[in-house]
Amino acid sequence: MTTSMPRSPRMLVIATVLLVVCGLGLLAVPEARGPSGSPKAPGSSAPVPRSLAASAAKGSAANDVLAPAHAASNPTGGAAVSALPPHGEGVAGDRAIQGALEAAWPADLPPGDARQLLAMGRSLLRADATGAGRGRWSTVFTAEVRALAPAFARFRIQAAIARRAGGGGQAVVHLVWAGADRGGTYTDGRITDWRFTHTTRKGSPTWTPLPRI
């Protein structure tokens, strides 16, 4: 079924990265041939899926690794937008990732709703990754999940956006983050989505996180 707005920027970002990588590959063909005319072996740049240690339990956050690119294209107008930094860039690259997300999926929520959703999404991700504050989200983290040891020690959110997700008062918070697992392996560019529904609590409208399936 065709929709006018994607439910999540993940597919849009991935498609943009793939288009850019293909374009760069075509541009590099003349230089990639040696004197004998034989092409050099291409490098591997495919994103590698990774999961939280807690993802085996119902309600925990699954995540992927964001593939870096030299540049991204605006799918609506073809104009170049912020380039994604290479892995390992650190805090210096976070602004570029934030800019790429905002360019790929323009804001479509009232500022107040966006701020509330971002705060909740950040808190949920921190609770899932580090274990801190899981008790606050009892409808999301079951007792079984809350008992799991934290999967990550070092943790940093690199970028985040809140956007509408379909109709019926649905929204999604899309986060890109970095962390070191208990074995000391550090990876940035991880992606996690948290979905919310707009409800009324004690007479006041609010956003409620949806349990993971």
Side-chain angles (χ1 to χ4, degrees), residues 52-134:
L52 289 170
S55 63
K58 183 179 180 181
S60 62
N63 61 92
D64 301 316
V65 176
L66 183 67
H70 295 292
S73 297
N74 187 332
T76 60
V81 297
S82 301
L84 294 176
H87 285 303
E89 182 75 7
V91 178
D94 293 353
R95 180 177 296 181
I97 297 175
Q98 182 70 40
L101 287 181
E102 293 175 352
W105 198 1
D108 56 7
L109 284 164
D113 286 337
R115 286 192 296 269
Q116 181 184 6
L117 286 164
L118 285 172
M120 296 172 72
R122 290 172 181 271
S123 179
L124 282 163
L125 178 57
R126 186 175 300 277
D128 193 22
T130 69
R134 288 179 184 171

Coordinates of all heavy atoms in Angstrom, one line a residue, residues 52-134:
L52 N 21.2 -5.4 20.9 CA 21.5 -5.2 22.3 C 21.5 -6.6 23.0 O 20.8 -7.5 22.5 CB 20.4 -4.4 23.0 CG 20.4 -2.9 22.7 CD1 19.1 -2.3 23.3 CD2 21.6 -2.2 23.3
A53 N 22.2 -6.8 24.1 CA 22.2 -8.0 24.8 C 20.8 -8.3 25.3 O 20.4 -9.5 25.5 CB 23.2 -8.0 25.9
A54 N 20.0 -7.3 25.5 CA 18.7 -7.5 26.1 C 17.6 -7.8 25.0 O 16.5 -8.0 25.3 CB 18.2 -6.2 26.9
S55 N 18.0 -7.8 23.7 CA 17.0 -7.9 22.7 C 16.4 -9.2 22.6 O 15.4 -9.4 21.9 CB 17.7 -7.5 21.3 OG 18.7 -8.4 21.0
A56 N 17.0 -10.2 23.2 CA 16.3 -11.5 23.2 C 15.1 -11.6 24.0 O 14.2 -12.4 23.9 CB 17.3 -12.6 23.8
A57 N 14.9 -10.6 25.0 CA 13.7 -10.6 25.8 C 12.7 -9.6 25.2 O 13.0 -8.6 24.6 CB 14.1 -10.1 27.2
K58 N 11.4 -10.0 25.3 CA 10.4 -9.2 24.8 C 10.4 -7.8 25.4 O 10.4 -7.7 26.6 CB 9.0 -9.8 25.0 CG 7.8 -9.1 24.4 CD 6.6 -9.9 24.7 CE 5.4 -9.2 24.1 NZ 4.1 -9.9 24.4
G59 N 10.3 -6.8 24.6 CA 10.2 -5.4 25.1 C 11.6 -4.7 25.0 O 11.6 -3.5 25.2
S60 N 12.6 -5.3 24.6 CA 13.9 -4.6 24.5 C 14.1 -4.0 23.1 O 13.5 -4.4 22.2 CB 15.1 -5.6 24.9 OG 15.1 -6.6 23.9
A61 N 15.1 -3.1 23.0 CA 15.2 -2.3 21.8 C 16.2 -3.0 20.9 O 17.3 -3.3 21.2 CB 15.7 -0.9 22.1
A62 N 15.8 -3.3 19.6 CA 16.7 -3.8 18.6 C 17.3 -2.6 17.9 O 16.8 -1.5 17.9 CB 15.9 -4.6 17.6
N63 N 18.5 -2.8 17.3 CA 19.2 -1.7 16.7 C 20.1 -2.1 15.6 O 20.5 -3.3 15.5 CB 20.0 -0.9 17.7 CG 21.1 -1.7 18.3 OD1 22.2 -1.8 17.9 ND2 20.8 -2.5 19.4
D64 N 20.3 -1.2 14.6 CA 21.2 -1.5 13.5 C 22.4 -0.5 13.6 O 22.4 0.4 14.4 CB 20.5 -1.3 12.2 CG 19.3 -2.3 12.1 OD1 19.4 -3.4 12.4 OD2 18.2 -1.8 11.7
V65 N 23.3 -0.7 12.7 CA 24.5 0.2 12.6 C 24.3 1.1 11.4 O 24.1 0.6 10.3 CB 25.8 -0.5 12.6 CG1 26.9 0.4 12.4 CG2 26.0 -1.4 13.8
L66 N 24.4 2.4 11.6 CA 24.2 3.4 10.5 C 25.5 3.4 9.7 O 26.6 3.6 10.2 CB 24.0 4.8 11.1 CG 23.7 5.9 10.1 CD1 22.4 5.6 9.4 CD2 23.7 7.2 10.8
A67 N 25.4 3.1 8.4 CA 26.5 3.1 7.5 C 26.9 4.6 7.1 O 26.1 5.4 6.8 CB 26.2 2.4 6.2
P68 N 28.2 4.9 7.3 CA 28.7 6.2 6.9 C 28.7 6.4 5.4 O 28.9 5.5 4.7 CB 30.1 6.3 7.5 CG 30.6 4.9 7.5 CD 29.3 4.0 7.7
A69 N 28.6 7.7 5.0 CA 28.8 8.0 3.6 C 29.5 9.3 3.5 O 29.5 10.1 4.4 CB 27.4 8.1 2.9
H70 N 30.0 9.6 2.3 CA 30.7 10.9 2.1 C 29.7 12.0 1.9 O 30.0 13.1 2.3 CB 31.5 10.8 0.8 CG 32.7 9.8 0.9 ND1 33.7 10.0 1.8 CD2 32.9 8.6 0.3 CE1 34.6 9.0 1.7 NE2 34.1 8.1 0.8
A71 N 28.5 11.7 1.4 CA 27.5 12.7 1.3 C 26.1 12.1 1.2 O 26.0 10.9 0.8 CB 27.7 13.6 0.0
A72 N 25.1 12.8 1.5 CA 23.7 12.3 1.3 C 22.9 13.3 0.4 O 23.3 14.5 0.3 CB 23.0 12.2 2.7
S73 N 21.9 12.8 -0.3 CA 21.1 13.6 -1.2 C 19.7 13.8 -0.6 O 19.2 12.9 0.0 CB 21.0 12.9 -2.5 OG 22.3 12.8 -3.1
N74 N 19.2 15.0 -0.8 CA 17.8 15.3 -0.4 C 16.9 14.6 -1.4 O 16.9 14.9 -2.6 CB 17.6 16.8 -0.5 CG 16.3 17.2 0.1 OD1 15.3 16.4 0.1 ND2 16.2 18.4 0.6
P75 N 16.1 13.6 -0.9 CA 15.2 12.8 -1.8 C 14.1 13.7 -2.5 O 13.6 13.3 -3.5 CB 14.6 11.7 -1.0 CG 14.7 12.3 0.4 CD 15.9 13.1 0.5
T76 N 13.8 14.8 -1.9 CA 12.7 15.6 -2.5 C 13.2 16.6 -3.5 O 12.5 16.9 -4.4 CB 12.0 16.4 -1.3 OG1 13.0 17.3 -0.7 CG2 11.4 15.5 -0.3
G77 N 14.5 17.0 -3.5 CA 14.9 18.0 -4.4 C 16.3 17.6 -5.0 O 16.7 18.3 -5.9
G78 N 16.9 16.6 -4.6 CA 18.2 16.2 -5.1 C 19.4 17.0 -4.7 O 20.5 16.8 -5.1
A79 N 19.1 18.0 -3.8 CA 20.2 18.8 -3.3 C 21.0 18.1 -2.2 O 20.5 17.3 -1.5 CB 19.7 20.1 -2.7
A80 N 22.3 18.4 -2.2 CA 23.2 17.7 -1.2 C 22.9 18.3 0.2 O 22.6 19.4 0.4 CB 24.6 17.9 -1.6
V81 N 22.9 17.4 1.2 CA 22.7 17.8 2.6 C 23.9 17.3 3.4 O 24.9 16.9 2.8 CB 21.4 17.1 3.1 CG1 20.2 17.7 2.4 CG2 21.4 15.6 3.0
S82 N 23.8 17.4 4.7 CA 24.9 17.2 5.5 C 25.5 15.8 5.3 O 24.8 14.8 5.2 CB 24.5 17.3 7.0 OG 24.0 18.5 7.3
A83 N 26.8 15.7 5.2 CA 27.5 14.4 5.0 C 27.5 13.6 6.3 O 27.7 14.2 7.4 CB 28.9 14.6 4.5
L84 N 27.4 12.3 6.2 CA 27.5 11.5 7.4 C 28.9 11.3 7.7 O 29.7 11.0 6.9 CB 26.8 10.2 7.2 CG 25.3 10.2 7.0 CD1 24.8 8.8 6.7 CD2 24.6 10.7 8.2
P85 N 29.3 11.5 9.0 CA 30.8 11.4 9.3 C 31.2 9.9 9.3 O 30.4 9.0 9.5 CB 30.8 11.9 10.8 CG 29.4 11.6 11.3 CD 28.5 11.8 10.2
P86 N 32.5 9.6 9.2 CA 32.9 8.2 9.3 C 32.8 7.7 10.7 O 32.7 8.5 11.7 CB 34.4 8.4 8.9 CG 34.8 9.8 9.3 CD 33.6 10.6 9.0
H87 N 32.7 6.4 10.8 CA 32.6 5.8 12.2 C 33.9 6.2 13.0 O 35.0 6.3 12.5 CB 32.6 4.3 12.1 CG 31.2 3.8 11.6 ND1 30.0 4.1 12.3 CD2 30.9 3.0 10.6 CE1 29.0 3.5 11.7 NE2 29.5 2.9 10.6
G88 N 33.7 6.4 14.3 CA 34.8 6.7 15.1 C 35.1 8.2 15.2 O 36.0 8.6 15.8
E89 N 34.2 9.0 14.6 CA 34.5 10.5 14.5 C 34.3 11.1 15.9 O 34.9 12.1 16.2 CB 33.5 11.1 13.5 CG 33.7 12.6 13.4 CD 34.9 13.0 12.6 OE1 35.5 12.1 12.0 OE2 35.2 14.2 12.5
G90 N 33.5 10.5 16.8 CA 33.2 11.0 18.1 C 32.2 12.1 18.1 O 31.4 12.3 17.2
V91 N 32.2 12.9 19.2 CA 31.3 13.9 19.4 C 31.3 14.9 18.2 O 30.2 15.5 17.9 CB 31.5 14.7 20.7 CG1 30.5 15.8 21.0 CG2 31.4 13.7 21.9
A92 N 32.4 15.1 17.6 CA 32.5 16.1 16.5 C 31.6 15.8 15.4 O 31.2 16.6 14.6 CB 34.0 16.2 16.1
G93 N 31.3 14.5 15.2 CA 30.4 14.1 14.1 C 28.9 14.1 14.4 O 28.1 13.9 13.5
D94 N 28.6 14.3 15.6 CA 27.2 14.2 16.0 C 26.3 15.2 15.3 O 25.1 15.0 14.9 CB 27.0 14.3 17.5 CG 27.6 13.1 18.3 OD1 28.0 12.2 17.6 OD2 27.7 13.2 19.5
R95 N 26.8 16.5 15.1 CA 26.0 17.5 14.5 C 25.7 17.2 13.1 O 24.6 17.4 12.6 CB 26.7 18.8 14.6 CG 26.0 20.0 14.0 CD 26.7 21.3 14.1 NE 26.9 21.7 15.5 CZ 27.5 22.8 15.9 NH1 28.0 23.6 15.0 NH2 27.6 23.1 17.2
A96 N 26.6 16.5 12.4 CA 26.4 16.2 11.0 C 25.3 15.1 10.9 O 24.4 15.1 10.0 CB 27.6 15.7 10.3
I97 N 25.3 14.1 11.8 CA 24.2 13.1 11.8 C 22.9 13.7 12.1 O 21.9 13.4 11.5 CB 24.6 12.0 12.9 CG1 25.9 11.3 12.5 CG2 23.5 11.0 13.0 CD1 26.4 10.3 13.6
Q98 N 22.8 14.7 13.1 CA 21.6 15.3 13.4 C 21.0 16.1 12.2 O 19.9 16.0 11.9 CB 21.8 16.3 14.6 CG 20.5 17.0 15.0 CD 19.5 16.1 15.7 OE1 19.9 15.2 16.5 NE2 18.2 16.3 15.5
G99 N 21.9 16.8 11.5 CA 21.5 17.5 10.3 C 21.0 16.6 9.2 O 20.1 16.9 8.5
A100 N 21.7 15.4 9.0 CA 21.2 14.5 8.0 C 19.8 13.9 8.3 O 19.0 13.8 7.4 CB 22.2 13.4 7.9
L101 N 19.6 13.6 9.6 CA 18.3 13.1 10.0 C 17.2 14.2 9.7 O 16.1 13.9 9.2 CB 18.2 12.7 11.4 CG 19.0 11.5 11.8 CD1 18.8 11.2 13.3 CD2 18.4 10.3 11.1
E102 N 17.4 15.4 10.1 CA 16.5 16.5 10.0 C 16.2 16.8 8.5 O 15.1 17.1 8.1 CB 16.9 17.7 10.7 CG 17.0 17.6 12.2 CD 17.5 18.7 12.9 OE1 18.1 19.6 12.3 OE2 17.5 18.8 14.2
A103 N 17.2 16.7 7.7 CA 17.1 17.0 6.2 C 16.3 15.8 5.5 O 15.5 16.1 4.6 CB 18.4 17.2 5.6
A104 N 16.5 14.6 6.0 CA 15.9 13.4 5.4 C 14.4 13.4 5.7 O 13.6 12.9 4.9 CB 16.6 12.2 5.8
W105 N 14.0 13.9 6.9 CA 12.6 13.8 7.4 C 12.3 15.1 8.1 O 12.5 15.3 9.3 CB 12.4 12.6 8.3 CG 11.0 12.2 8.4 CD1 9.9 12.8 7.8 CD2 10.5 11.2 9.3 NE1 8.8 12.1 8.2 CE2 9.1 11.1 9.1 CE3 11.1 10.2 10.1 CZ2 8.3 10.2 9.8 CZ3 10.3 9.3 10.8 CH2 8.9 9.3 10.6
P106 N 11.7 16.1 7.3 CA 11.4 17.4 7.9 C 10.4 17.3 9.1 O 9.6 16.4 9.2 CB 10.8 18.2 6.7 CG 11.3 17.5 5.5 CD 11.5 16.0 5.9
A107 N 10.5 18.2 10.0 CA 9.7 18.2 11.2 C 8.2 18.3 10.8 O 7.8 19.1 9.9 CB 10.1 19.4 12.1
D108 N 7.4 17.6 11.5 CA 5.9 17.6 11.3 C 5.1 17.5 12.5 O 3.9 17.2 12.5 CB 5.6 16.4 10.3 CG 6.0 15.0 10.9 OD1 6.5 15.0 12.0 OD2 5.9 14.0 10.2
L109 N 5.7 17.8 13.7 CA 5.0 17.7 15.0 C 5.1 19.1 15.6 O 6.0 19.9 15.4 CB 5.6 16.7 15.9 CG 5.3 15.2 15.7 CD1 6.3 14.4 16.4 CD2 3.9 14.9 16.1
P110 N 4.1 19.5 16.4 CA 4.2 20.7 17.2 C 5.4 20.7 18.1 O 5.8 19.6 18.6 CB 2.9 20.7 18.0 CG 1.9 19.9 17.3 CD 2.8 18.8 16.6
P111 N 6.1 21.8 18.3 CA 7.3 21.8 19.1 C 7.2 21.2 20.5 O 8.1 20.5 20.9 CB 7.7 23.3 19.2 CG 7.1 23.9 17.9 CD 5.8 23.2 17.7
G112 N 6.1 21.5 21.1 CA 5.9 20.9 22.5 C 5.8 19.4 22.4 O 6.4 18.7 23.3
D113 N 5.1 18.8 21.5 CA 5.0 17.4 21.4 C 6.4 16.8 21.0 O 6.8 15.7 21.5 CB 4.0 17.0 20.3 CG 2.6 17.2 20.7 OD1 2.3 17.2 21.9 OD2 1.7 17.4 19.8
A114 N 7.1 17.5 20.1 CA 8.4 17.0 19.7 C 9.4 16.9 20.9 O 10.1 16.0 21.1 CB 9.0 17.8 18.6
R115 N 9.4 18.0 21.8 CA 10.2 18.0 22.9 C 9.9 16.9 23.9 O 10.7 16.2 24.5 CB 10.1 19.4 23.6 CG 10.8 20.5 22.9 CD 11.0 21.7 23.8 NE 9.7 22.3 24.1 CZ 9.0 23.2 23.4 NH1 9.6 23.7 22.3 NH2 7.9 23.7 23.8
Q116 N 8.6 16.7 24.2 CA 8.1 15.6 25.1 C 8.6 14.2 24.6 O 9.1 13.4 25.3 CB 6.6 15.7 25.3 CG 6.1 14.6 26.2 CD 4.6 14.6 26.3 OE1 3.9 15.3 25.6 NE2 4.1 13.8 27.3
L117 N 8.3 14.0 23.3 CA 8.7 12.7 22.7 C 10.2 12.5 22.7 O 10.6 11.4 23.0 CB 8.2 12.7 21.2 CG 6.7 12.5 21.1 CD1 6.3 12.8 19.7 CD2 6.3 11.0 21.4
L118 N 11.0 13.5 22.4 CA 12.4 13.3 22.5 C 12.9 13.0 23.9 O 13.8 12.1 24.0 CB 13.1 14.6 21.9 CG 13.1 14.8 20.4 CD1 13.6 16.2 20.0 CD2 13.9 13.7 19.7
A119 N 12.4 13.7 24.9 CA 12.8 13.4 26.2 C 12.5 12.0 26.6 O 13.3 11.3 27.3 CB 12.1 14.4 27.2
M120 N 11.3 11.5 26.3 CA 10.9 10.2 26.6 C 11.7 9.1 25.8 O 12.1 8.1 26.3 CB 9.4 10.0 26.3 CG 8.5 10.9 27.2 SD 6.7 10.8 26.6 CE 6.3 9.2 27.2
G121 N 11.9 9.4 24.5 CA 12.7 8.5 23.7 C 14.1 8.3 24.2 O 14.7 7.2 24.3
R122 N 14.7 9.4 24.6 CA 16.1 9.4 25.2 C 16.1 8.6 26.5 O 17.0 7.8 26.7 CB 16.6 10.8 25.4 CG 16.9 11.6 24.1 CD 17.2 13.0 24.4 NE 17.5 13.8 23.2 CZ 18.7 13.9 22.7 NH1 19.8 13.3 23.2 NH2 18.9 14.6 21.6
S123 N 15.1 8.8 27.3 CA 15.0 8.1 28.6 C 14.8 6.6 28.4 O 15.5 5.8 29.1 CB 13.9 8.7 29.4 OG 13.8 8.0 30.7
L124 N 14.0 6.2 27.4 CA 13.7 4.8 27.1 C 15.0 4.1 26.6 O 15.3 3.0 27.0 CB 12.6 4.7 26.1 CG 11.2 4.9 26.7 CD1 10.2 5.1 25.6 CD2 10.8 3.6 27.5
L125 N 15.7 4.8 25.7 CA 16.9 4.2 25.1 C 18.0 4.0 26.2 O 18.6 3.0 26.3 CB 17.4 5.1 24.0 CG 18.7 4.6 23.4 CD1 18.6 3.2 22.8 CD2 19.2 5.5 22.2
R126 N 18.1 5.0 27.1 CA 19.1 4.9 28.1 C 18.8 3.8 29.1 O 19.7 3.0 29.5 CB 19.2 6.3 28.9 CG 20.3 6.3 30.0 CD 20.4 7.7 30.6 NE 20.7 8.7 29.6 CZ 21.9 9.0 29.2 NH1 22.9 8.3 29.6 NH2 22.1 9.9 28.3
A127 N 17.5 3.7 29.4 CA 17.1 2.6 30.3 C 17.3 1.2 29.7 O 17.8 0.3 30.3 CB 15.6 2.7 30.6
D128 N 17.1 1.1 28.4 CA 17.2 -0.2 27.7 C 18.7 -0.5 27.6 O 19.1 -1.7 27.8 CB 16.6 -0.1 26.3 CG 16.5 -1.4 25.6 OD1 16.5 -2.5 26.3 OD2 16.4 -1.5 24.4
A129 N 19.6 0.4 27.3 CA 21.0 0.1 27.0 C 21.8 0.0 28.3 O 22.6 -0.9 28.4 CB 21.6 1.2 26.2
T130 N 21.5 0.8 29.3 CA 22.3 0.8 30.5 C 21.6 0.2 31.8 O 22.2 0.0 32.8 CB 22.7 2.3 30.9 OG1 21.6 3.0 31.3 CG2 23.4 2.9 29.7
G131 N 20.3 0.0 31.7 CA 19.5 -0.5 32.8 C 19.0 0.6 33.7 O 18.2 0.3 34.6
A132 N 19.5 1.8 33.6 CA 19.1 2.9 34.5 C 17.7 3.4 34.2 O 17.5 3.9 33.1 CB 20.1 4.1 34.4
G133 N 16.8 3.3 35.1 CA 15.5 3.9 35.0 C 14.5 2.9 34.3 O 13.4 3.4 33.9
R134 N 14.8 1.6 34.2 CA 13.8 0.7 33.6 C 12.5 0.7 34.4 O 11.4 0.5 33.8 CB 14.4 -0.7 33.5 CG 15.5 -0.8 32.4 CD 16.1 -2.2 32.3 NE 17.1 -2.3 31.4 CZ 17.9 -3.3 31.3 NH1 17.7 -4.4 32.0 NH2 18.9 -3.3 30.4

